[in-house]
């Protein structure tokens, strides 16, 4: 049993804290009004720091960290609400590493760890009840090439991705493709969202893709997608964990400074108890996330643990941020204060890779129900 | 016990509804304007005046000042219908400033301000909050010095939400440095359009609502700006709370109904979890509605709804949170996209509401302040 | 709009408060260890006070009150956790009044209002998954008589009932019978329960019943049963409302007296806020109950309102009692203190005529979902 | 970071498990006895002695006093297994009195009391609470007067749960009337079996658990009953909290697992609402388990888990409430019937648990006290 970080994890987080403190302060606020929605300049810097390559082998420009290291780094990013396609690029790269062939690995992972290539999973199919006018899924063969059409939603940073991970139902069954975002049949539309984090609508119309762009065995997409979703859910939990730690910190600081009725509001029992509840909720997210990360890193089955973490994180994200807003009072709802950024981001992270109800349902299944 | 409106009240309600229905386009346009977060636009003014010209904006006021001399229940009915059709609850003039002018103003002030308020022609912006005086209103520090012929005002006010379209500032300022602090506060009416030295600076909320900071830099205001007696402002504010307490959940009921229709349409009506959430919300909204009715009824019967009003305020704000949160949960990932996006459900209305509703947890007293009131005034638990 | 009680309601409640204060103090504690589970002596007294006849016509010994009056009286009983088959006898009687023929009315309602006859609805069929060894439902005809067999559970005060309201699926469809509890084919077993309130298992084996004992039209039982359940749910809400008012009162009194750390615990903000939440929850139960009662009294459709009231009451019953227990501290969990009686009774009332989930589901249906 | 036991710890855990499995009948009988609410019966004593004779009851103690000189994680493992198999968590001797005797007792006291505690042969009943001293332990008023050759005790103690089967009273008594009050408290060991003037009077809890009031009427106890220095008792109690903090959710995990199996068997596994409730509970129990492990790990690493232990205490008690409440909701009307009834699910186990679990919300500090600790010690918020 060890709840401490390793030497190298401490070093990684030390650097991360310093870097984020120096470079990323106020970044979330700045970039959400830009078209990119993130800072390409800082993206290069974190590539140089080895963050994008954190979990990849040296031969591909990585530094061979564990998935647990990645979780810890993402937690730090969450504290700073660091914007960008970091987690989704990392898990996309891991899919190529785990399931791609060697030429795919050679072609894409070094570009990814260098910060040159952003890969985004484009896996969420629209519910036609929400909007009927969509390009429906089609996959046919022509001259040995696949012709793919379809609509995918909420593709993270799709507008700056070089490649999409895309699933199509081909003659061989559900098959995963790594599609060049520059393909002329693709349209990508960033959507305005509560978190200002550029989820995209990606539309394929008759996009020609060759067999070489298939990841893994044709017809076997589902297992890889599940892995992507599991990793994604856990990294979101870590990001939420960081956010909530920061919200708690900000809130306690505010309460310990703010005076009303001749006393610090932090001396009020109701404020203290709300902060205690925020702390407990946050620690629950943290430990559940850490345990799931440890299991994933060890290669142990972790579906249940990941879903426990994400279900708690999703619900705690709203609970904790709402208390944060309330304790900040009028200040907390002002655009100029950071509190509201966390509140808005929390909604996006709550939803990403499945909300609380969704993951509790998975836990139930994992319990054998 | 009787939970229905009287025949006269019912008739009145029909009339009010008919106005909004006959002015459907205008109502919708006003609602849309209001929901930009920018406050009153031309359509809002227009509909307010249509309400006002019938005497409905201040139905409890005497006829000479533009009212109808009716009971609080009629005001409740108007507020309910306004909330339902245009989302505007009331005006600060009709709900907060006016009642104090009516009770404590000079005849001159009454004649000058009340009729245009009742007609919906002018609006007041509330000027109580300061950076160090939020829940603790008595701590306000903006200074109003009596200079013989005029008052000299220096200082600033935070969260003056309606400042950019109101004619008057309803200003709470310090006229005496004294302990307890609340004994040194006076109320003033400041003409925002014609007074030099005032700067209005916008602040934006997370919900996209514009509010304002107002700076007073050696601002001179006439002596007759003072409302009532000097240093009695805090008492007047507390007194006026009664009137302010008329509240409604009509907007929530409307949104809830739309949400239920949406769930049916999107074929999610069979989902037991959604059914539980909506079933629970229905009960919660209904209980909040009954709280609101009770407060109006108490006012009409000469009872002081101090803890009941606190319960109402808290319950409405929390029910609103449950509503927006439930809606967002039902939309799933589609909830996060905003107005104008083709994937936005209800054209992003709940997405905005999800942000904008936060304010209601805080303004007019946080839920924690309300719980203090319920415990101490309602249950007789000790005050410190 | 009128939130006040009428003159006659005030009189009724005045008497009720005084009577219950004088006669019923400590009663719940005393009778739960007796075989009867209630006080037959007090039963006679409340019959004399006209309570059992409250909602019945004068010609049957009643005093022609409204259902709303009944709700208010039951609320007072809830405050005193007055034990006995009062609500179930009243709603059983109302079924006879509404659906019985005149000879049934003449035979049973006067006996009921006099306090001589207790009638109990025996309508809950066991879930065979919970216990397989039951007498299964059977209904056949023999010599113009019905022969009924079946098991019914949680029959309130079945052991002292003179008649049961029982539903059987006959050749004419679902039919309601008023069965003589003294019938030799009937066994009745009181079950030990958390509230000590004698829910019974009633078993019929080849019980002979004549056509005269059918209530309403044969084959049309469902509507009557629904009415029984609606009325039952609302009276339970009223009883819970009274209980919670009393729990709140006891708790505030305790908190305002109890000193710890040199101060009344009632001066602590966390205690005050918990009490404020208890008060709010209780008032929600109260107003929802009153509104539903008013609708029922007016003959307006009230299914939604009743279920809103009972769903809130069921869940609030646990929330409020749990806070009451916590604020009472060690005292609250001691057998010798009344707090625990309310906590235990709350569970029984929460369940009776449907719990929170059950009634929220009805509300959803009533919303058109 | 590593969430697994070391190979040695794992091996130890296996051994402990094997004992309980090989003594299955005895374990079950002990669990059954314990769950009558009457405390230790013959089977409880027997299983405790089997645990004790292996040194497992106090594994962190030195070997000379019957321990094994192992780390806190081993104690965690024993507690977890005990909780799982017999529902008994620990003894007061091993968990509260013993550690103080070990740190502050005389050699004579150590030799006399520690080995039998470690062997599971004797039990202490905690004697801290009084009617006016619950959460506020420092307010205790039972008097211990130093009469030269002996101490004279007068007064009474409330909620002495284990008094009717313990050999010793672990008594906190006032030896000085002084401010602050906590500076006048001393700890004593009182031989309950051989001391005249003591009356033990039963009190029953809503859960059917027997606890007791103990009355001291001019009771003389020898001078060497005092543990450590006079008037230092409160400090010792606080110190010992560490040891006490080892906690586990093993019993909750076991009950939860049984509940899940029950839901499958009763074909309710398809109910989405039950699935949500159980899925949420699984996460909550797991997070409480991780809190417990963290506290044990901190103790092993010389860190003081003051706010972490408070969080653990609060979370375990609240998780337990969620578990019993969920179980009762799943049973519906069948939940209300009691042990022995043929309709009782799990033979009424959860019905009793529903009542009995209330105590855990209150003993060893209410959730409200825990929140104070988390806020003030953990988050650095101001103390009044």
């Amino acid at each position: 049993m060890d709840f401490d970080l390793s030497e190298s994890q401490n070093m990684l987080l030390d650097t991360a804290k310093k870097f984020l403190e120096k470079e990323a302060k106020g970044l979330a606020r700045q970039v959400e009004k830009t078209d990119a929605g993130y800072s390409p300049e800082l993206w290069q810097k974190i590539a140089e720091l080895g963050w994008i390559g954190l979990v990849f082998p040296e031969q591909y420009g990585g530094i061979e960290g564990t998935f647990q290291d990645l979780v810890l780094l993402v937690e730090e990013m969450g504290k700073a609400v660091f914007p960008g396609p970091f987690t989704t690029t990392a898990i996309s790269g891991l899919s190529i590493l785990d399931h791609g062939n060697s030429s795919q690995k050679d072609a894409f992972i070094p570009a990814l760890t260098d910060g040159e290539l952003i890969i985004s999973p484009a896996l969420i199919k629209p519910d036609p009840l929400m909007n009927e006018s969509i390009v429906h899924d089609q996959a046919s063969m022509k001259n040995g090439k696949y012709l793919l059409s379809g609509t995918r939603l909420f593709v993270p940073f799709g507008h700056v991705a070089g490649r999409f991970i895309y699933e199509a139902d081909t003659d061989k069954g559900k098959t995963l493709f790594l599609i060049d975002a520059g393909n002329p049949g693709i349209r990508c539309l960033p959507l305005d969202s509560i978190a200002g984090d550029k989820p995209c609508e990606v539309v394929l119309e008759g996009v020609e893709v060759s067999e070489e762009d298939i990841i893994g065995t044709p017809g076997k997409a589902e297992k890889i997608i599940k892995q992507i979703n599991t990793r994604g859910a856990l990294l979101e939990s870590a990001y939420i964990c960081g956010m909530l730690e920061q919200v708690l910190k900000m809130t306690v600081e505010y309460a310990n400074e703010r005076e009303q009725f001749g006393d610090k509001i932090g001396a009020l029992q109701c404020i203290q108890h709300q902060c205690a509840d925020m702390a407990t909720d946050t620690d629950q997210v943290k430990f559940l996330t850490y345990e799931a990360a440890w299991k994933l890193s060890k290669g142990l089955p972790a579906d249940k643990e990941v879903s426990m973490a994400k279900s708690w994180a999703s619900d705690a994200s709203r609970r904790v941020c709402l208390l944060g807003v309330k304790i900040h009072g009028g200040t907390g709802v002002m655009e100029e204060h950071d509190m509201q950024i966390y509140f808005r981001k929390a909604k996006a992270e709550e939803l990403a890779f499945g909300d609380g109800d969704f993951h509790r349902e998975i836990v139930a299944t994992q319990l054998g129900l | 016990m009787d939970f229905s409106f009287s025949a006269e009240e019912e008739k009145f309600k029909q009339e009010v509804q008919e106005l909004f229905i006959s002015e459907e386009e205008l109502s919708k346009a006003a609602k849309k304007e209001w929901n930009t977060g920018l406050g009153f636009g031309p359509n809002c003014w227009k509909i307010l005046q249509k309400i006002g010209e019938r005497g409905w904006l201040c139905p409890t006021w005497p006829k000479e000042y533009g009212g109808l001399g009716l009971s609080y229940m009629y005001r409740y009915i108007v507020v309910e219908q306004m909330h339902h059709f245009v989302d505007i609850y009331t005006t600060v003039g009709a709900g907060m400033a006016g009642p104090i002018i009516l009770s404590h103003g000079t005849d001159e002030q009454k004649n000058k301000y009340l009729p245009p308020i009742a007609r919906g022609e002018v609006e007041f912006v509330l000027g109580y909050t300061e950076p160090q005086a939020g829940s603790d209103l008595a701590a306000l520090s903006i200074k109003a010095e009596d200079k013989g012929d005029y008052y000299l005002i220096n200082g600033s006010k935070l969260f003056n939400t309606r400042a950019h379209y109101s004619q008057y500032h309803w200003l709470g300022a310090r006229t005496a440095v004294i302990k307890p602090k609340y004994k040194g506060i006076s109320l003033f009416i400041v003409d925002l359009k014609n007074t030099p030295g005032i700067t209005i600076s916008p602040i934006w909320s997370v919900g996209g609502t514009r509010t304002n900071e107002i700076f007073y830099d050696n601002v001179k205001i006439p002596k007759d700006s003072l409302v009532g007696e000097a240093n009695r402002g805090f008492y007047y504010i507390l007194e006026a709370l009664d009137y302010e307490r008329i509240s409604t959940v009509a907007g929530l009921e409307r949104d809830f109904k739309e949400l239920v229709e949406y769930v049916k349409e999107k074929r999610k009506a069979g989902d037991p979890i959604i059914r539980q959430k909506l079933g629970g919300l229905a009960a919660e909204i209904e209980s909040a509605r009954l709280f609101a009715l009770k407060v109006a009824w108490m006012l009409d019967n000469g009872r002081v709804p101090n803890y009941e009003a606190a319960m109402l305020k808290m319950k409405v704000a929390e029910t609103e949170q449950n509503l927006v949160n439930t809606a967002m949960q039902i939309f799933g990932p589609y909830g996060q996209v905003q107005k104008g996006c083709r994937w936005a459900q209800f054209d992003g209305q709940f997405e905005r509401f999800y942000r904008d509703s936060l304010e209601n947890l805080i303004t007019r007293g946080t839920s924690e302040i309300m719980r203090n009131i319920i415990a101490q005034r309602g249950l007789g638990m000790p005050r410190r």
Side-chain angles (χ1 to χ4, degrees), chain A, chain B:
Chain A
M1 205 66 57
D2 189 1
F3 283 77
D4 269 338
L5 307 185
S6 69
E7 196 81 7
S8 68
Q9 286 170 340
N10 273 322
M11 276 173 54
L12 172 71
L13 296 194
D14 249 27
T15 317
K17 273 183 226 281
K18 280 178 197 149
F19 177 83
L20 292 167
E21 172 73 22
K22 185 169 162 245
E23 306 272 356
K25 223 165 191 176
L27 182 68
R29 178 183 295 280
Q30 288 156 32
V31 298
E32 75 170 327
K33 275 149 201 156
T34 66
D35 284 343
Y38 79 119
S39 161
E41 193 195 329
L42 280 189
W43 188 256
Q44 274 312 314
K45 287 195 184 172
I46 67 168
E48 282 156 29
L49 285 169
W51 290 4
I52 307 177
L54 184 60
V55 285
F56 296 96
E58 258 188 76
Q59 64 179 116
Y60 301 120
I63 56 174
E64 309 209 328
T66 64
F67 198 79
Q68 202 174 55
D69 300 340
L70 184 61
V71 158
L72 292 167
L73 179 61
V74 169
E75 182 186 342
E76 286 307 318
M77 290 180 171
K79 289 184 192 167
V81 282
F82 185 74
F86 181 79
T87 57
T88 42
T89 296
I91 55 176
S92 301
L94 280 171
S95 293
I96 300 172
L97 183 70
D98 290 346
H99 305 284
N101 57 39
S102 60
S103 65
Q104 287 170 336
K105 293 185 203 178
D106 290 339
F108 300 118
I109 303 183
L112 180 147
T113 58
D114 275 4
E116 281 158 26
L117 175 63
I118 286 163
I119 310 181
S120 192
L123 295 168
I124 300 174
K125 293 177 192 173
D127 178 346
L129 282 175
M130 296 297 177
N131 191 324
E132 284 166 28
S133 69
I134 55 166
V135 172
H136 287 277
D137 268 31
Q138 262 191 316
S140 54
M141 294 289 288
K142 192 181 158 190
N143 307 330
K145 299 261 189 178
Y146 289 92
L147 274 184
L148 306 179
S149 294
T151 307
R152 295 295 178 271
L153 287 185
F154 312 120
V155 180
F157 288 87
H159 62 306
V160 292
R163 291 263 161 177
F164 296 119
I165 295 185
Y166 181 91
E167 177 255 314
D169 203 354
T170 69
D171 53 341
K172 299 193 185 76
K174 289 183 176 163
T175 302
L176 217 56
F177 295 89
L178 193 65
I179 295 180
D180 188 337
N183 197 305
I186 296 181
R187 276 178 293 130
C188 177
L189 178 70
L191 309 173
D192 288 336
S193 74
I194 188 167
D197 58 351
K198 313 287 174 202
C200 290
E201 178 178 351
V202 172
V203 180
L204 281 71
E205 277 188 292
V207 170
E208 214 180 85
V209 189
S210 72
E211 263 193 6
E212 288 149 31
D213 292 325
I214 292 174
I215 313 175
T217 315
K220 303 281 183 200
E222 278 181 348
K223 217 185 119 194
I224 311 179
I225 291 176
K226 185 160 171 293
Q227 197 186 32
I228 289 175
N229 287 334
T230 302
R231 286 169 172 163
L234 188 59
L235 292 182
E236 287 300 332
S237 303
Y239 194 91
I240 288 172
C241 178
M243 284 177 58
L244 302 191
E245 289 173 276
Q246 186 62 24
V247 167
L248 176 62
K249 188 165 171 272
M250 277 193 310
T251 303
V252 169
E253 279 170 10
Y254 179 83
N256 283 352
E257 269 169 29
R258 170 79 174 167
E259 272 186 29
Q260 289 285 274
F261 302 106
D263 209 346
K264 308 289 183 204
I265 65 166
L268 293 170
Q269 199 178 31
C270 74
I271 304 283
Q272 294 198 352
H273 284 198
Q274 289 176 342
C275 288
D277 284 341
M278 292 167 77
T280 307
D281 234 351
T282 303
D283 268 7
Q284 287 182 267
V285 174
K286 188 170 188 153
F287 292 174
L288 289 173
T289 301
Y290 284 179
E291 187 187 34
W294 169 77
K295 286 210 159 181
L296 273 190
S297 292
K298 288 272 170 195
L300 299 167
D303 286 354
K304 184 169 77 175
E305 285 74 15
V306 168
S307 284
M308 291 198 293
K310 183 59 166 65
S311 65
W312 207 273
S314 283
D315 290 355
S317 75
R318 178 172 161 84
R319 281 194 296 263
V320 172
C321 288
L322 196 65
L323 285 173
V325 166
K326 284 170 76 169
I327 294 172
H328 275 84
T331 313
V333 295
M334 288 301 109
E335 206 280 326
E336 63 195 23
H337 194 281
D338 278 356
M339 185 60 236
Q340 56 87 13
I341 298 181
Y342 286 81
F343 178 82
R344 288 188 293 112
K345 290 262 182 197
K347 180 39 99 178
E349 316 304 332
E350 175 191 341
L351 294 168
F353 295 99
D355 67 4
D357 285 2
F358 177 85
H359 282 284
R360 265 189 297 280
E361 174 58 35
I362 295 181
V363 175
T365 304
Q366 290 288 329
L367 290 170
L369 292 170
Chain B
M1 228 176 297
D2 186 345
F3 289 88
S4 60
F5 289 123
S6 70
E8 296 74 33
E9 289 162 350
E10 194 58 55
K11 189 166 158 276
F12 180 75
K13 182 177 157 181
Q14 300 294 338
E15 279 173 41
V16 179
Q17 277 178 337
E18 274 158 26
L19 168 66
F20 288 108
I21 291 165
S22 70
E23 295 286 355
E24 199 190 340
E25 298 248 320
L26 178 59
S27 303
K28 279 189 180 163
K31 179 165 180 270
K32 204 172 159 190
E33 253 172 31
W34 177 250
N35 282 314
T36 59
L38 293 174
F40 294 178
N43 293 297
C44 292
W45 284 113
K46 225 179 273 171
I47 193 86
L48 280 174
Q49 283 158 29
K50 291 206 181 276
I51 302 164
E53 72 195 18
R54 287 160 175 82
W56 294 346
L57 209 48
C58 306
T60 62
W61 293 5
K63 287 188 180 161
E64 54 175 317
Y65 299 126
L68 299 168
L70 293 170
S71 72
Y72 282 100
M73 199 53 81
Y74 288 84
R75 179 160 159 78
Y76 172 85
I77 289 168
V78 174
V79 168
E80 191 179 73
Q81 297 307 320
M82 281 177 72
H83 201 212
H84 178 83
F85 285 101
V86 292
D87 258 351
I88 303 173
Y89 220 73
T90 179
T91 65
V92 171
M96 302 174 87
I100 298 180
I101 297 173
L102 190 61
S103 321
H104 300 285
T106 59
D107 282 347
E108 207 180 37
Q109 285 171 334
K110 289 184 201 173
N111 289 323
K112 180 172 174 191
Y113 297 112
L114 297 182
I117 289 174
R119 287 196 302 268
E121 291 167 3
V122 299
E123 178 56 315
F124 283 65
V125 50
L126 208 63
Y128 292 162
T129 303
E130 295 180 16
Q132 295 313 316
S135 293
D136 181 11
L137 175 58
L140 63 80
S141 68
I142 192 172
K143 228 172 25 178
E145 287 171 273
D146 187 342
K147 293 290 190 184
D149 322 340
Y150 60 89
Y151 283 99
L152 183 68
I153 321 266
N154 275 296
S156 71
K157 284 283 171 186
L158 199 61
F159 303 146
N160 302 270
T161 301
R162 300 182 176 205
H164 52 293
Y165 54 88
S166 286
Q167 288 77 9
Y168 302 107
H169 199 197
W170 182 252
L171 178 70
R174 181 157 303 284
T175 37
V177 179
I178 192 174
K179 282 206 171 171
K181 287 188 279 192
Y182 64 83
K183 289 195 169 173
I185 293 169
S186 303
L187 289 176
F188 298 93
I189 299 169
V190 182
D191 183 342
L192 286 172
K193 305 290 176 195
N194 305 298
T195 311
I198 294 177
T199 316
I200 296 176
S201 158
I203 314 175
W204 296 91
S205 83
V206 57
T209 296
R210 177 175 169 177
T211 178
N212 304 278
E213 212 164 346
I214 301 187
F215 299 93
Y216 281 79
D217 181 16
N218 283 316
V219 172
K220 294 178 185 175
I221 59 168
K223 289 302 284 279
D224 64 5
S225 310
L226 176 71
V227 180
E229 285 178 50
N231 298 325
R232 301 280 306 165
F234 198 78
Y235 297 95
Y236 300 156
I237 292 171
L238 289 187
E239 246 180 73
L241 285 178
D242 273 7
Y243 202 82
E244 219 183 295
R245 276 162 181 153
I246 293 286
S247 181
T248 160
V249 293
L252 300 185
E253 280 186 288
R254 179 200 61 213
D255 292 345
F256 176 70
K257 225 172 144 187
E258 286 174 14
L259 186 62
V260 167
E261 290 311 311
Y262 168 91
V263 166
K264 286 185 217 170
E265 196 186 304
K266 301 295 182 197
R267 296 181 219 152
K268 291 182 167 188
D271 181 331
I273 296 163
I274 292 182
R275 294 173 72 83
Q276 283 290 314
K277 287 178 179 169
L278 293 176
L281 254 174
E284 192 168 12
I285 292 172
E286 181 62 11
S287 62
R289 189 181 76 87
L290 295 170
F291 281 8
L293 281 171
K294 168 108 189 248
V295 167
W297 172 83
M298 286 182 80
L299 292 172
D300 271 345
N301 285 272
R303 309 189 197 175
V304 182
N306 48 22
Y307 92 87
E308 289 88 349
M311 226 178 232
L312 170 61
K313 160 68 177 75
M314 174 174 89
K315 202 67 222 174
V316 170
E318 291 183 355
T319 303
E320 189 172 87
Q321 286 303 308
N322 281 347
L323 173 63
V324 294
N325 195 35
T326 303
M328 289 293 260
Q329 286 182 322
I330 289 171
F331 303 152
Y334 299 88
Q336 70 189 305
V337 291
Q338 297 187 307
K339 191 178 172 61
C341 168
R342 74 187 190 108
W343 295 100
Q345 308 300 302
F346 291 90
D347 194 25
Q349 171 192 318
F350 279 98
E351 186 280 326
R352 194 187 86 87
F353 200 10
Y354 187 78
R355 292 178 280 120
D356 200 40
S357 59
L358 293 177
E359 225 176 300
N360 287 341
L361 288 170
I362 292 150
T363 49
R364 301 183 302 126
T366 65
S367 293
E368 283 62 43
I369 297 278
M370 296 303 123
R371 287 190 179 93
N372 289 347
I373 294 173
I374 297 166
Q376 293 169 6
R377 288 196 224 158
L379 303 174
M381 302 183 83
R383 301 181 197 208
R384 291 250 190 205

